[in-house]
Amino acid sequence: MEALFTAFAALPGLKVLSLVSLGLWGPLPQTIGNLSSLEMLNLSSNNLNGTIPVEMLGLRNLQTIVLDHNKFTGEVPFWISSFSGLTVLSLKNNSLNGLLPSSFSRLGNLRILQLSMNNFNGEVPDLSNLTNLQVLDLGNNSLGPKFPTLHNKLVTLVLKRNKFRFGMTHNLSSFYQLQKLDVSSNEFVEPFLPSLLSLPSIGYLSIAGNKFHGMLLKNMSCGADIKYVDLSFNYLTGDLPACLKLGNKSQIVHYRGNCLSNGRQRQHPYAFCHNEALAVRISPQRRKENEPSSKIVVAMSIVGATSLAGLMVLGVGFVFSKHAFKKPRTRVILEKAKVLYPSKLFLDAREICQMAKLGPLGLPAYRNFLLDEIKEATANFDVSNLIGEGSYGQVYKGILGNDNMVAIRCLKVRKRRGIQAYTHDVELLSKLRHIHLVSALGHCFEYNSEDSTVSTIYLVFEFVPNGTLRDFISGQKPIWSKRIAVAVEVAKGIQFLQTGMMPGLYSNNLKTTNVLLDHSLHVKLNSYNLPLLAENKNKVNMLSSSGSKEVSKPIVKQDDKSDVYDFGVILLEIIAGREITSDNDVSVMKDLFEVGIKADKIARKQILDPAVHKECPDNSVKTVMEVCVKSLSEDPNDRPSIEDVLWNLHFAAQVQDLGQGDSPSRKSSSPVFTSQ
Ligand SMILES: *[C@@H]1O[C@H](CO)[C@@H](O)[C@H](O)[C@H]1NC(C)=O
Ligand SMILES: *[C@@H]1O[C@H](CO)[C@@H](O)[C@H](O)[C@H]1NC(C)=O
Ligand SMILES: *[C@@H]1O[C@H](CO)[C@@H](O)[C@H](O)[C@H]1NC(C)=O
Ligand SMILES: *[C@@H]1O[C@H](CO)[C@@H](O)[C@H](O)[C@H]1NC(C)=O
Ligand SMILES: *[C@@H]1O[C@H](CO)[C@@H](O)[C@H](O)[C@H]1NC(C)=O
Ligand SMILES: *[C@@H]1O[C@H](CO)[C@@H](O)[C@H](O)[C@H]1NC(C)=O
Ligand SMILES: *[C@@H]1O[C@H](CO)[C@@H](O)[C@H](O)[C@H]1NC(C)=O
Ligand SMILES: *[C@@H]1O[C@H](CO)[C@@H](O)[C@H](O)[C@H]1NC(C)=O
Ligand SMILES: *[C@@H]1O[C@H](CO)[C@@H](O)[C@H](O)[C@H]1NC(C)=O
């Protein structure tokens, strides 16, 4: 491991490291901390042992950590929360133990958290802040007894084989996206909540091997997608619901070992459940059994294969390092890695597909609209519904049959082409769904009557009611922390455009006039670089009719960095609290910020929007200014990546959270940009 990681440390641009099933053994070496560009680390199925080393703190770009099927020991370190961009953390099947750190609640980007098959114990920390969490697997540990506090956007929840006892009943009814729930083999002693059977998305439900009691009724309803239900070995009475008794081959239902009266599988007499349930309610302690200990016995299984695998690995290491010597300019390698191995992108794209299906944004599934629907929604394109106009079409506001407000873009098509020519664009369009994007709901084609080529394309988007970011900043004068939150949301929107689908959308030409705010004042990017629009040159501003001269970028362009420049301009406006409408404004403000960064904190504040002078912590201000100046660098290579921007803004927000960022504390030193 030492030799291997020393070789990798010579590749400062390394982003993806996947060393799976190679028979690697020993602890993770300290040099792992030198791989500072790493975004994805997958070391599954080796024989790595020891604790998770603190040097990993250096890997601040990490988004995915997979250490499954190893022999790591010790606790999950509290500093795990400093990986603010972390989306996947998977530590299945190790020998980790202790309490789960409460700092988990700060991993706001986490989507997948898998900690099953370890020796964790105690209560699960409050995870209700993890609004992006979709998969939580804590099976085969000793966690409990209180059911965890979670966000209701969860899709998969596995708590089987733990020591949970209570608290499940109140919470789960609102989990409208939950597809899989497995709480089997715990110690639950509470009434079974029949509404679990009818959760809208539920497909897999297992409560087997607990002490759930209560009466089921024949006429209870079930979710439409329910495929697997296991109610066995509880204290349920009454009748098995008819919707579980269809004898449907595609549905598997187990209910053995209860006291149900109308089933075929073996049941206890009614008195059994009644008495037990009573006993449970009156003195729960009496029923407590000694569960078999869930300690995992680690077997050494590594044999002759080791040396061979070891040789292979060293071979790989050698090739890598030779590369590094030949090409000391790491930029090349870095970019190659991005193109050839975009595994984090795949992961995201996959999840986004899934999310699109589920509609977690509260949006209906993407679909084809009928021309009649479009006409009805816009009152046959009545001028009173016209909200924007550009060089190749109009934007109308509309109301669909279900009272949903939408914005409809009409694109007049110049080239005569059949509908097939648009399949790719439409596919891409259907993926444009994100919480910080004005998301696409569907489309409609209108045809030329002579030759059935497409004459007009209508694109249906969600309607975003609360005006533009420019109006928000200059009108409502939001407080400092809200400004940072808004900036973070803009950056997240850009990050999604660039990495949320393949290929990403770059050069989105964003401005404060096409960043919109929804009803709860969260950001939604509008007018981004739509695939269909790329063919026609200019852009429509969906809601803005601002005629002001817009800022143009320096001519040197690098795709992914031109969005960062745009972001810099937006950030200028957010901080300064006034419109930035010309290139000259930008360079003046940028110079001012550069001076401000070096000045003392009183001078620094003078540059800000006077509305926030009182409340903003100096460290936060300084960090945001640095982000801004960096983003506006003339040379695209000097601009930070959007991930860097996000990381630094998160830092600025944290300083904010601490309240008095001015007081010296460990957190108050400014983070550094990697300059590549
Ligand atoms: C790793 O980084 C440390 C300091 O950050 C440095 O002293 C050390 O030489 C580096 N190791 C390698 C193998 O590059
Ligand atoms: C890590 O590697 C394993 C084995 O190849 C694979 O199944 C898993 O999907 C990988 N995880 C990620 C996040 O890529
Ligand atoms: C790690 O495993 C090796 C053998 O594979 C053993 O010699 C060493 O003591 C183990 N270290 C720890 C910390 O368990
Ligand atoms: C757990 O990991 C070990 C290797 O450490 C592996 O042999 C075993 O198959 C894994 N167990 C499961 C259930 O995946
Ligand atoms: C959740 O987030 C809010 C606001 O960011 C914060 O006040 C609260 O303390 C957090 N809760 C936990 C459990 O971290
Ligand atoms: C879960 O229940 C607790 C109280 O039992 C409540 O504080 C919490 O808000 C609930 N969470 C959800 C997501 O409903
Ligand atoms: C289900 O049946 C019970 C009696 O068996 C009745 O009280 C209840 O109203 C019924 N519920 C529905 C939704 O029909
Ligand atoms: C069987 O179940 C599936 C899914 O739960 C459902 O789509 C199908 O209509 C059912 N068939 C019958 C005959 O009930
Ligand atoms: C989980 O733990 C139980 C014992 O508590 C064991 O029988 C089972 O094989 C474990 N499952 C996995 C996947 O390790």
Side-chain angles (χ1 to χ4, degrees), residues 552-594:
S552 63
K553 276 172 288 293
I555 295 127
V556 209
K557 262 206 198 174
Q558 188 188 330
D559 269 354
D560 57 328
K561 296 294 181 68
S562 98
D563 286 333
V564 171
Y565 185 90
D566 291 341
F567 176 81
V569 178
I570 292 175
L571 197 53
L572 270 187
E573 229 179 287
I574 294 178
I575 309 176
R578 62 182 184 82
E579 293 184 12
I580 308 281
T581 50
S582 68
D583 293 341
N584 192 42
D585 278 354
V586 174
S587 66
V588 169
M589 285 305 292
K590 187 184 157 198
D591 288 347
L592 212 52
F593 277 22
E594 267 171 345

Side-chain angles (χ1 to χ4, degrees), residues 20 40 42 44 64 66:
V20 175
M40 199 289 221
N42 189 348
S44 306
T64 297
V66 183

Side-chain angles (χ1 to χ4, degrees), residues 117 140 161 292-294:
M117 293 182 269
N140 271 43
R161 293 186 188 279
S293 133
S294 62

Side-chain angles (χ1 to χ4, degrees), residues 210-226:
N210 281 286
K211 290 156 195 162
F212 283 107
H213 54 87
M215 190 153 111
L216 301 183
L217 298 177
K218 237 187 199 136
N219 61 4
M220 281 169 173
S221 55
C222 306
D225 296 331
I226 203 152

Side-chain angles (χ1 to χ4, degrees), residues 350-417:
R350 206 167 54 219
E351 278 167 17
I352 283 143
C353 285
Q354 203 189 9
M355 284 168 63
K357 208 168 63 203
L358 296 166
L361 307 172
L363 295 174
Y366 187 91
R367 68 177 174 103
N368 266 309
F369 284 84
L370 301 173
L371 186 54
D372 284 344
E373 274 181 284
I374 304 276
K375 282 183 178 164
E376 197 185 317
T378 56
N380 207 7
F381 306 107
D382 194 277
V383 267
S384 65
N385 287 326
L386 189 64
I387 52 177
E389 190 150 24
S391 56
Y392 50 84
Q394 296 83 17
V395 185
Y396 289 89
K397 161 177 85 176
I399 301 179
L400 293 180
N402 53 6
D403 288 344
N404 279 347
M405 291 276 278
V406 291
I408 300 174
R409 262 184 215 224
C410 314
L411 302 184
K412 292 264 180 261
V413 178
R414 297 199 183 116
K415 284 193 201 133
R416 299 217 145 190
R417 293 197 293 178

Side-chain angles (χ1 to χ4, degrees), residues 105-106 126 128-129 657:
S105 67
R106 278 190 269 144
D126 187 338
S128 56
N129 272 6
D657 281 341

